[in-house]
Amino acid sequence: MGVKVIKFGGSSVADADQLRKIKAIVEADPERRYVVVSAPGKRHKADNKVTDMLITLSAQVDGNMPYDQLFGAVKERYTSIAEGLGLDADLEGWFDEIAENIKKGYSEAYIVSRGEYLSARLIAEYLGYDFVDTKNLVIFNSKGRLKVEETNEAIRAELARHERAVFPGFYGGYAGTDEICLLSRGGSDVTGSLVARAADASMYENWTDVSGMLMADPRVVSSPLPIKYISYAELRELSYMGASVLHEDAVFPARMAGIPINIRNTNAPEDSGTVISREGGANDEYIISGIAGKPDFTVISIYKNMMNKELGFVRRALAIIEDQKINFDHIPTGIDSLSMVIESKELEDKLDDVLDAFRQQLKPDEIIVEDKIALIAVVGRRMHRSIGVSGRICTALANKGINIKMLSQGTNEINVIVGVEAADFEEAVRVLYAEFVH
Ligand code: ASP
């Protein structure tokens, strides 16, 4: 039988009703054998995520403040889930052990990780699956860097012992110790991807509270279409430009093994969601897959006559911003000009120093700084080798009187980046969406 690894996020495990939904989802497909879960998230807008409660609790412990009330509130979240499902789990025993360990001075990471730990224990009982702790399976070096291959081997060996199992997301441990180490926030997505790779899964299903990705930001474009299929590379372009999707760290283990990722909605399981894969799927209607953008860049343009003859000019310019630890996004060049497109927040407090260094070391004829520039990425794997996309972008924007400050195409030909004034940002996104998606 094939294997699917299925991860449920915080809102999917927030209360008993949500858990009933996930049970139905898991049981609808016998291949859904390995389940990774987050800690319970918010049940409604004003609610707290268990992880946030535990972070506060740990700070209280650290500051020698009373923490009984919060401890009780966390316990209540799990008790109400167990009661709502009529589960006879040993919650008292689990919480007593945690209380004792807190008194013994266990770390913040231990306390915060209990959200996922308890969630996985409870869900394992509810589904009748084995519980497998990830403490010694998701392995970090002493600096907190994930040891990807060791982790893969450890999970793979453990999976061989379990036909069906539930894993807590978000944490692992330091190699050779029993000390917990946390992934970054939202890290259960990463755990799911690691388990999927180790299981040689045919699919990594990531169940959340939206039916996959949309072709544009719904706050800018009204009712954008869902993205049915997208390639890993396109996803990276879109998320780099601000589309809120899976974190890069959550994609790479599945990507390494070529395992497709399906983003699904626990509250609308009939929706097929978005499938992210190497090829991206066929037969899509549109030449683009999505549009994303960020509104706040600064462009520093350096002009110098005969720049093209001056050996090492670009290298020296780049060394200056490297010295200042500034990341740049693009460097469009002309024969006598060089521009650097940099996210404005990167330049905070550093702009004057950078300009001084440019003037002293590069002796330019002129430097022009323009802020409030927005970049928009039009992304689509079908743009590769297709003629006229940039032309359509320019014409569509020109027809609406939107001035293009910059246009750049990635050499992989799956994205075109357009720079416009920040004031034109949203309108430009709408115009481009309307041009390519009818
Ligand atoms: N519970 C953790 C968080 O809130 C990890 C996760 O949900 O993926 O960030």
Side-chain angles (χ1 to χ4, degrees):
M1 193 190 346
V3 183
K4 287 179 183 153
V5 170
I6 175 163
K7 181 258 168 182
F8 291 102
S11 61
S12 303
V13 299
D15 60 20
D17 282 344
Q18 291 300 86
L19 290 200
R20 279 191 202 94
K21 292 183 194 168
I22 77 161
K23 185 171 196 209
I25 291 166
V26 170
E27 289 178 351
D29 183 345
E31 295 193 350
R32 291 177 175 145
R33 289 167 45 201
Y34 299 124
V35 182
V36 175
V37 294
S38 285
K42 293 183 181 193
R43 294 160 293 187
H44 47 83
K45 261 215 167 93
D47 201 11
N48 292 313
K49 292 181 174 188
V50 165
T51 304
D52 291 323
M53 295 163 84
L54 291 168
I55 290 170
T56 309
L57 192 151
S58 159
Q60 291 173 345
V61 173
D62 221 32
N64 288 321
M65 283 145 68
Y67 58 86
D68 295 358
Q69 206 184 349
L70 204 46
F71 191 86
V74 172
K75 190 169 168 184
E76 165 53 27
R77 287 292 303 261
Y78 292 92
T79 320
S80 72
I81 294 176
E83 278 171 4
L85 298 172
L87 268 182
D88 185 24
D90 181 25
L91 281 171
E92 285 302 324
W94 301 343
F95 273 92
D96 285 351
E97 186 189 339
I98 295 170
E100 262 172 49
N101 288 339
I102 293 176
K103 288 208 181 87
K104 282 186 200 154
Y106 275 38
S107 67
E108 176 186 7
Y110 168 82
I111 297 175
V112 176
S113 70
R114 295 307 86 185
E116 268 69 15
Y117 171 84
L118 292 161
S119 186
R121 288 208 76 163
L122 204 58
I123 292 169
E125 293 227 356
Y126 181 49
L127 296 177
Y129 279 26
D130 298 343
F131 164 77
V132 176
D133 200 348
T134 39
K135 175 175 74 172
N136 302 116
L137 300 181
V138 175
I139 303 169
F140 295 86
N141 71 11
S142 57
K143 296 202 169 72
R145 263 189 90 87
L146 185 66
K147 294 169 79 103
V148 177
E149 294 312 318
E150 276 187 37
T151 295
N152 191 44
E153 289 313 312
I155 299 177
R156 191 183 286 275
E158 189 63 32
L159 290 176
R161 291 192 268 276
H162 306 273
E163 186 61 23
R164 296 176 181 276
V166 181
F167 301 77
F170 188 40
Y171 72 92
Y174 293 103
T177 74
D178 262 344
E179 281 279 305
I180 300 282
C181 179
L182 296 176
L183 288 150
S184 55
R185 292 300 303 265
S188 300
D189 286 339
V190 183
T191 314
S193 193
L194 292 166
V195 175
R197 178 182 174 215
D200 288 326
S202 61
M203 182 70 84
Y204 167 31
E205 295 183 345
N206 190 297
W207 290 73
T208 166
D209 53 5
V210 291
S211 295
M213 294 171 63
L214 298 170
M215 293 183 78
D217 185 341
R219 290 166 300 187
V220 177
V221 171
S222 79
S223 309
L225 291 176
I227 300 178
K228 286 195 185 129
Y229 300 102
I230 189 167
S231 69
Y232 304 122
E234 289 172 295
L235 176 81
R236 191 166 144 61
E237 300 284 356
L238 286 173
S239 46
Y240 182 74
M241 285 302 280
S244 59
V245 279
L246 284 182
H247 192 276
E248 180 65 14
D249 287 351
V251 177
F252 90 88
R255 183 176 184 169
M256 275 169 99
I259 298 167
I261 304 170
N262 189 189
I263 303 177
R264 300 283 293 265
N265 188 350
T266 300
N267 305 317
E270 62 287 355
D271 292 351
S272 56
T274 301
V275 176
I276 307 155
S277 65
R278 202 167 271 159
E279 265 70 48
N283 303 326
D284 307 50
E285 269 172 88
Y286 304 106
I287 192 164
I288 70 161
S289 296
I291 299 177
K294 290 194 213 169
D296 203 1
F297 288 83
T298 298
V299 182
I300 306 175
S301 301
I302 306 166
Y303 299 89
K304 186 169 186 184
N305 198 21
M306 307 297 279
M307 180 190 287
N308 63 329
K309 295 264 188 272
E310 199 175 314
L311 216 58
F313 189 91
V314 177
R315 180 180 51 72
R316 279 183 282 131
L318 290 179
I320 290 169
I321 62 159
E322 188 182 341
D323 282 349
Q324 296 280 347
K325 302 205 172 5
I326 293 168
N327 253 313
F328 70 90
D329 281 74
H330 298 276
I331 38 167
T333 52
I335 46 171
D336 287 336
S337 69
L338 163 73
S339 298
M340 293 188 178
V341 184
I342 299 171
E343 248 191 292
S344 301
K345 64 174 191 266
E346 288 275 322
L347 284 167
E348 263 169 26
D349 310 329
K350 296 180 180 169
L351 184 60
D352 289 340
D353 290 345
V354 170
L355 296 180
D356 283 347
F358 281 161
R359 285 191 191 102
Q360 277 165 24
Q361 295 177 41
L362 304 175
K363 310 263 179 296
D365 299 332
E366 192 180 13
I367 299 184
I368 295 177
V369 179
E370 279 179 285
D371 63 358
K372 300 199 174 54
I373 300 292
L375 293 190
I376 300 167
V378 179
V379 175
R381 62 191 176 282
R382 288 169 300 280
M383 288 173 2
H384 181 66
R385 292 184 196 289
S386 112
I387 293 166
V389 175
S390 300
R392 282 175 70 184
I393 290 175
C394 295
T395 311
L397 292 174
N399 285 344
K400 292 283 179 203
I402 297 174
N403 182 29
I404 297 177
K405 305 284 250 180
M406 182 197 115
L407 187 78
S408 136
Q409 186 180 45
T411 35
N412 56 6
E413 289 186 57
I414 65 163
N415 71 339
V416 176
I417 308 271
V418 201
V420 297
E421 275 174 24
D424 292 330
F425 174 53
E426 296 201 349
E427 180 62 7
V429 171
R430 284 191 281 272
V431 167
L432 293 173
Y433 183 83
E435 171 65 27
F436 290 102
V437 187
H438 307 291

